[in-house]
Amino acid sequence: MKRSELYLLISLDTLLDELNVTRAARRLHIGQPTLSGHLSRLRELFQDPLLVPSETGRGMVPTERALALRSSLSDALVRLRDAVAQPHEFDPGTSARTFVVATNDSVFTIVALDVMAKVMSYGNPALRMAVVPADDAGLVERMARREVDLFLGDIDRVPDTLKARFLLSDDFVLAQRCGHPRGTGTPDLAEYCALHHIVVSSRAGFSTPVDTVLEKLGVERHVVATVPSYNQVALVLSQTDGVASLPRKLLQRYATFVDLISLPFQIPSFRLAMAWHPRAQSDPAGIWLRDRFLEIGERAKSTKTDLD
């Protein structure tokens, strides 16, 4: 392979990731016929089809030769990009970096919202931050390709292949709208179970880890509604006499119209961590981003958590 044909390896890396010529061409910002030409040249170079049409008629399937190339090719291209593009320092006032953070809306509200505000505070339109769902099965691979900078979530769910740092722990409390007819006292276990509970589920599931705790206590609560987003719970609480048991730091964002009350039983604390790929360990921009989350974590540790 000639040095002038390096672009073919970039095309192959993208094709192996997308397994679809149309999507790969769109991601590379080239035409589909051009990418098809790249694939033909690659097949000549490697003396292998590399990618063949799927039997389902949708997408393509890599050959054994392509699968053997995939990991080492991706590693080599990442190292090459680092060698030619790695800045010696990071200046948020002038950088054109786009940070991508994978998390759910609860963790976004607890910590990432403040970091997003910090990013925006520099008034630099080229400095951007995107938040994406954290339930992608290919998350680690995307982080290896530098498509995702940071994962935020339960420390027990951090993949072993990532580097991680504990940020904060949060306890669970009961939330209800201000002026709720039951008053603001802590309910006993029987009253708690009889209340109308709202839970978060993307699949209309009416059971959560809270219900697992209650089952061990030999009781069952009355769950009447589910919503797919944690932040939608606050909207439901504001319009109904429903209640919810969620992390305190999430619910504190809605303290103007929601009362927070101690639970009549113990739930293990939620331990939040951030995680990044080892390839991003020395990236100045990545270090800057992680430092911002560490600041939020330190601030949260010094915040009073006792209920009024």
Side-chain angles (χ1 to χ4, degrees):
M1 177 174 285
K2 300 175 183 178
R3 284 179 293 178
S4 61
E5 294 177 320
L6 176 62
Y7 68 91
L8 292 175
L9 295 182
I10 297 173
S11 294
L12 178 57
D13 181 56
T14 307
L15 281 165
L16 290 174
D17 184 41
E18 295 290 349
L19 298 178
N20 181 287
V21 174
T22 301
R23 290 199 302 267
R26 187 182 304 123
R27 185 166 139 191
L28 290 166
H29 304 289
I30 60 176
Q32 185 173 335
T34 300
L35 185 56
S36 295
H38 291 184
L39 181 55
S40 295
R41 177 65 179 134
L42 285 161
R43 285 167 170 164
E44 293 176 9
L45 287 167
F46 288 100
Q47 294 295 298
D48 187 271
L50 297 176
L51 291 157
V52 297
S54 169
E55 293 182 357
T56 65
R58 301 180 62 182
M60 307 183 81
V61 177
T63 64
E64 290 298 321
R65 178 75 170 115
L67 290 173
L69 284 167
R70 187 172 190 173
S71 178
S72 57
L73 175 60
S74 180
D75 287 345
L77 290 176
V78 167
R79 291 178 184 276
L80 182 58
R81 291 188 189 104
D82 287 349
V84 300
Q86 184 80 297
H88 293 294
E89 59 183 23
F90 176 75
D91 180 5
T94 59
S95 173
R97 179 67 174 262
T98 296
F99 293 116
V100 180
V101 177
T103 191
N104 64 25
D105 66 310
S106 173
V107 178
F108 169 79
T109 304
I110 293 171
V111 290
L113 176 59
D114 290 337
V115 173
M116 181 174 281
K118 182 68 174 180
V119 168
M120 295 175 64
S121 72
Y122 288 92
N124 174 10
L127 181 67
R128 304 184 298 181
M129 178 174 169
V131 177
V132 298
D135 55 0
D136 183 356
L139 178 62
V140 173
E141 288 75 17
R142 293 180 65 198
M143 295 180 80
R145 295 193 301 268
R146 302 290 182 87
E147 295 175 6
V148 175
D149 296 287
L150 208 59
F151 164 77
L152 300 172
D154 190 325
I155 196 169
D156 294 327
R157 296 184 179 180
V158 174
D160 293 337
T161 53
L162 301 180
K163 289 184 172 293
R165 181 77 179 268
F166 172 77
L167 288 177
L168 58 88
S169 45
D170 198 7
D171 58 335
F172 284 73
V173 296
L174 180 69
Q176 61 183 37
R177 68 176 176 85
C178 295
H180 194 287
R182 64 162 297 275
T184 58
T186 300
D188 60 27
L189 191 57
E191 181 188 357
Y192 171 88
C193 291
L195 294 170
H196 290 184
H197 293 264
I198 318 300
V199 301
V200 178
S201 173
S202 61
R203 299 183 179 181
F206 287 81
S207 180
T208 74
V210 173
D211 297 282
T212 302
V213 174
L214 292 173
E215 183 179 358
K216 293 178 180 178
L217 296 175
V219 295
E220 181 179 356
R221 64 177 175 168
H222 188 191
V223 179
V224 299
T226 75
V227 290
S229 163
Y230 286 91
N231 288 299
Q232 289 173 335
V233 173
L235 298 177
V236 178
L237 295 181
S238 70
Q239 301 296 315
T240 71
D241 288 337
V243 300
S245 304
L246 293 172
R248 179 196 306 269
K249 290 181 174 61
L250 164 69
L251 295 167
Q252 284 175 335
R253 294 283 188 181
Y254 304 101
T256 56
F257 60 87
V258 170
D259 288 325
L260 306 187
I261 300 165
S262 297
L263 292 171
F265 57 96
Q266 294 293 319
I267 299 178
S269 296
F270 168 60
R271 298 187 301 156
L272 175 63
M274 64 177 176
W276 61 97
H277 198 276
R279 290 176 180 169
Q281 176 70 12
S282 300
D283 173 26
I287 293 171
W288 181 89
L289 180 67
R290 297 194 295 269
D291 284 346
R292 304 290 75 77
F293 280 100
L294 288 174
E295 289 173 358
I296 301 300
E298 289 301 318
R299 190 187 312 161
K301 292 174 188 176
S302 62
T303 302
K304 182 181 178 182
T305 59
D306 292 338
L307 292 173
D308 294 334

